[in-house]
């Protein structure tokens, strides 16, 4: 069944009631995500941004280049893996901006637009700000995700069981991604690389609510559904 065949009321219920039920059941917030350092943030073991910029920056990509979309699939776990990589992977030594990367993930969201504002807010907090991106670009910083595990949180069956009829879209499921966030850059002529563990939960709706899986919302970084 397509998204247009589903009543808007059901989608609104998912936002206003369904996620409130999940938060009450498992005690996890879905808002206010944190990731990117500000340009003035000092260098730490978790962030390869150096104290002074390199004079060598890799050349940009072709202006006609576009980021690949998240692959359409009815397999929720496969979609979760692809969406997680699209969310975390980026390279400042290209012409792409944080907005370009965010748009790829938004495009895989709720096609009715009901979820778009909330999902966009989640995504923005996973990505560097425009100012931080400019600073990271001077070091040709790139970031990528190494996935260790993708699994349905232990609390999800309980959340489904305690949700009243109509509080969750049919085909809704949560997947937690556990892995490593890697960053690499160049300081002068010296390459640097750092990594740290990362975990987060993606809330996804697939068939019968949508023809293919769609991303509804994201948990806070390192505050996944238990």
């Amino acid at each position: 069944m397509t998204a247009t065949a589903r009543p808007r009321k059901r989608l609104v219920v998912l936002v206003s009631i369904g996620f409130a039920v999940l938060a009450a059941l498992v005690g996890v917030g879905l808002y206010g995500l944190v990731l990117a350092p500000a340009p003035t943030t000092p260098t730490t073991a978790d962030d390869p941004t150096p104290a002074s910029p390199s004079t060598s920056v890799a050349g940009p990509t072709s202006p006609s280049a576009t980021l690949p979309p998240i692959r359409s699939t009815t397999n929720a776990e496969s979609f979760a893996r692809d969406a997680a990589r699209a969310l975390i992977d980026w390279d400042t030594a290209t012409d792409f901006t944080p907005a370009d990367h965010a748009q790829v993930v938004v495009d895989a969201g709720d096609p009715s637009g009901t979820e778009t504002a909330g999902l966009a807010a989640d995504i923005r907090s996973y990505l560097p700000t425009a100012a931080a991106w400019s600073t990271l670009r001077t070091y040709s910083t790139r970031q990528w995700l190494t996935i260790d595990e993708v699994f349905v949180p232990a609390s999800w069956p309980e959340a489904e069981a305690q949700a009243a009829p109509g509080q969750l879209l049919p085909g809704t499921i949560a997947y937690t991604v556990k892995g490593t966030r890697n960053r690499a850059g160049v300081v002068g002529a010296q390459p640097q690389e750092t990594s740290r563990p990362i975990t987060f939960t993606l809330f996804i709706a697939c068939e019968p609510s949508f023809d293919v899986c769609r991303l509804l919302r994201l948990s806070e970084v390192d505050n996944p559904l238990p």
Side-chain angles (χ1 to χ4, degrees), residues 18-201:
F19 279 105
V21 170
L22 289 177
L25 288 173
V26 301
V28 62
L30 304 180
Y31 308 96
L33 315 183
V34 177
L35 177 63
T40 55
T41 302
T43 302
T44 67
D46 182 50
D47 192 335
T49 304
S52 59
S54 166
T55 57
S56 175
V57 179
T61 56
S62 166
S64 62
T66 58
L67 289 166
I70 295 174
R71 181 173 56 90
S72 294
T73 179
T74 57
N75 185 302
E77 180 178 342
S78 179
F79 177 83
R81 289 176 177 272
D82 291 345
R85 291 192 178 96
L87 183 66
I88 302 300
D89 292 4
W90 45 256
D91 188 345
T92 63
T94 69
D95 278 339
F96 300 121
T97 67
D100 294 324
H101 288 274
Q103 190 62 54
V104 169
V105 184
V106 168
D107 287 345
D110 168 23
S112 76
T114 302
E115 301 279 8
T116 302
L119 178 60
D122 295 344
I123 297 165
R124 280 195 299 271
S125 294
Y126 274 76
L127 292 166
T129 64
W133 187 270
S134 295
T135 301
L136 292 168
R137 177 171 276 171
T138 63
Y139 314 110
S140 300
T141 307
R142 61 188 178 94
Q143 177 174 286
W144 69 98
L145 175 67
T146 302
I147 296 176
D148 296 325
E149 296 181 78
V150 177
F151 55 91
V152 177
S155 61
W156 182 250
E158 179 185 358
E160 285 189 298
Q162 295 192 26
Q167 288 183 332
L168 293 175
L169 283 173
T172 298
I173 191 167
Y175 270 96
T176 291
V177 174
K178 180 182 292 186
T180 302
R181 191 202 76 177
N182 308 280
R183 279 191 179 183
V186 179
V187 185
Q190 298 298 318
Q192 290 189 2
E193 186 171 325
T194 64
S195 62
R196 77 165 180 86
I198 186 173
T199 182
F200 53 95
T201 300

